[in-house]
Amino acid sequence: MQKSLQGTIENKQEAVDYVTWTFLYRRMTQNPNYYGLQGVSHRHLSDHLSDLVENTLQDLEESLKPKIRGLLEIISNAAEYESVPIRHGEEDVLRKLMQKVNHKPDGKVTDPHIKTNLLLQAHLSRLSLSAELQQDTELVLGKALRLIQACVDVLSSNGWLAPALSAMTLAQMVTQAMWSKDSYLKQLPHFSSETISRCEVKDVTSVFDILELEDDDRNRLLQLSENKMADLWIPNSISSGRTVNVEVVLEREDEPGPVIAPLFPHKREEGWWVIIGDPKANSLISIKRLTLQQKAKVKLDFVAPSEGAYEYRLYFMSDAYMGCDQEYKVPLRVREADSDSESESD
């Protein structure tokens, strides 16, 4: 007699016990070779059932954790895209587009949700589209990030790490118009496929690798004009003569105490200097001193120099400890002065 299932199976062992009351268990004992069993002893059957339950649960878990393809389908099927227009004679264009995308969605191209899926993938692949389809893509993208954020909220509230991270990755992909498998350098302005290939040959594969190159090495590798190089560092330039406001947030893990200095005869608190300077011109541009607690915010300002590309430095200098100073590059692109006198922030 087969055991009836009362309530919910709460753990793997209960699932194994339940299977022993099924017809499958009887078949395993009668025809072990068919199920890949080496014997019909209790140990053989128990191990096989444990593996069966484990694999089934893993498959079920994976089916509940959407990857990028599944997330694209979820986003595309949102009610917000029911009004995406399907124009007369557009079917052939969309069918051709379906042959170019990485993941072919199931359904008719006359379905607004299928069209949305195709447009999202075309955006990630940076495919050339007609003016009308590009207009539709902008409509789709206008709602995409909000829907992706909703996916992140739902997945994170359920404690599903991997799919939540996938949804966050999709937000990055949609913003940068690229697939996660693409070179990270693709998101930088003026980086052609040839530029990226040259970088990869030199084992330069990330934005951080670009920043760490010496100036001469970087120029030889990228082969960009001065104007394009300026776009690479600071897309939004600042007008000459205008006030630049820089806000810096400093944070440390522990609450600081008195300075540890056994040979200094007086008790003192830890302090820091925050400095913006131009090392090439040996010029100190702006400086502030603060007593850093666990978190502090400091604002520095300076007047933008004459038109051109600059590489300033932001320095954090302790007034008590050696070896803990920090230095960061602050690229600055300055355009010709204009008549607007308002300050600009970076």
Side-chain angles (χ1 to χ4, degrees):
M1 180 177 68
Q2 188 171 2
K3 181 181 178 181
S4 61
L5 178 61
Q6 301 290 336
T8 304
I9 294 174
E10 296 184 349
N11 55 56
K12 295 177 184 178
Q13 186 56 52
E14 289 183 5
V16 172
D17 293 341
Y18 178 75
V19 175
T20 63
W21 291 86
T22 65
F23 183 70
L24 171 64
Y25 184 78
R26 296 190 202 175
R27 291 292 304 153
M28 287 166 53
T29 60
Q30 298 298 318
N31 193 3
N33 290 335
Y34 180 81
Y35 295 98
L37 290 167
Q38 302 300 317
V40 291
S41 67
H42 175 74
R43 181 58 181 270
H44 285 107
L45 293 170
S46 178
D47 288 347
H48 183 77
L49 289 177
S50 295
D51 290 342
L52 178 63
V53 169
E54 182 72 30
N55 293 334
T56 301
L57 290 176
Q58 287 181 357
D59 291 343
L60 178 60
E61 185 177 14
E62 289 302 315
S63 69
L64 294 172
K65 293 182 176 181
K67 293 184 172 58
I68 295 299
R69 178 173 184 167
L71 286 167
L72 283 170
E73 292 178 355
I74 291 171
I75 298 301
S76 302
N77 286 324
E80 283 83 347
Y81 293 131
E82 290 179 355
S83 60
V84 172
I86 304 293
R87 302 176 185 84
H88 178 70
E90 201 171 59
E91 294 88 342
D92 290 341
V93 176
L94 293 176
R95 289 192 188 95
K96 291 178 181 178
L97 186 57
M98 184 175 286
Q99 301 305 314
K100 297 179 181 179
V101 298
N102 290 357
H103 308 296
K104 295 177 176 55
D106 294 329
K108 297 181 179 180
V109 294
T110 53
D111 184 336
H113 301 290
I114 298 300
K115 177 178 177 178
T116 297
N117 191 309
L118 294 174
L119 293 179
L120 281 172
Q121 292 195 61
H123 171 69
L124 298 179
S125 298
R126 301 188 180 182
L127 299 179
S128 297
L129 300 174
S130 66
E132 289 180 331
L133 287 182
Q134 188 59 45
Q135 184 178 1
D136 295 339
T137 301
E138 292 176 6
L139 172 67
V140 167
L141 294 176
K143 302 175 181 180
L145 288 179
R146 179 170 54 84
L147 293 169
I148 294 171
Q149 183 58 58
C151 287
V152 172
D153 293 342
V154 171
L155 294 166
S156 58
S157 65
N158 282 280
W160 293 335
L161 174 63
L165 294 176
S166 294
M168 295 173 192
T169 300
L170 181 58
Q172 299 170 358
M173 292 164 52
V174 169
T175 302
Q176 296 297 335
M178 55 186 283
W179 295 91
S180 57
K181 62 179 177 59
D182 293 339
S183 168
Y184 293 151
L185 300 178
K186 192 174 182 180
Q187 61 193 316
L188 297 175
H190 309 302
F191 267 56
S192 64
S193 56
E194 292 79 10
T195 306
I196 293 174
S197 296
R198 285 198 305 271
C199 290
E200 291 177 341
V201 168
K202 297 294 185 180
D203 201 28
V204 175
T205 59
S206 72
V207 176
F208 300 105
D209 293 337
I210 296 290
L211 291 173
E212 290 172 359
L213 291 172
E214 295 295 333
D215 291 346
D216 291 341
D217 294 337
R218 185 188 303 119
N219 292 334
R220 283 194 296 268
L221 182 63
L222 302 186
Q223 301 176 18
L224 296 176
S225 67
E226 183 177 339
N227 288 337
K228 288 184 177 180
M229 188 69 78
D231 289 339
L232 176 61
W233 300 131
I234 299 293
N236 297 315
S237 60
I238 297 171
S239 298
S240 175
R242 295 183 66 171
T243 301
V244 181
N245 297 315
V246 180
E247 184 176 284
V248 181
V249 177
L250 300 93
E251 187 172 2
R252 58 183 299 159
E253 293 183 359
D254 304 314
E255 189 76 24
V259 171
I260 301 171
L263 299 182
F264 189 78
H266 305 288
K267 180 179 179 180
R268 56 166 303 198
E269 298 297 321
E270 177 184 340
W272 288 79
W273 287 288
V274 184
I275 306 154
I276 293 178
D278 183 352
K280 288 186 177 180
N282 193 26
S283 174
L284 192 153
I285 308 298
S286 184
I287 182 171
K288 289 285 181 69
R289 187 182 183 279
L290 71 154
T291 301
L292 177 60
Q293 300 302 315
Q294 197 156 2
K295 188 174 183 179
K297 183 184 295 184
V298 60
K299 293 183 178 180
L300 300 95
D301 58 75
F302 59 92
V303 177
S306 58
E307 183 181 3
Y310 298 82
E311 192 172 84
Y312 286 176
R313 293 287 197 278
L314 178 65
Y315 303 92
F316 297 102
M317 304 290 294
S318 170
D319 70 353
Y321 295 112
M322 302 181 67
C324 57
D325 303 326
Q326 299 180 49
E327 177 181 339
Y328 299 92
K329 293 180 180 179
V330 182
L332 187 70
R333 181 189 176 191
V334 182
R335 62 175 178 263
E336 184 179 357
D338 56 31
S339 57
D340 191 349
S341 61
E342 294 181 3
S343 65
E344 299 192 18
S345 299
D346 190 15

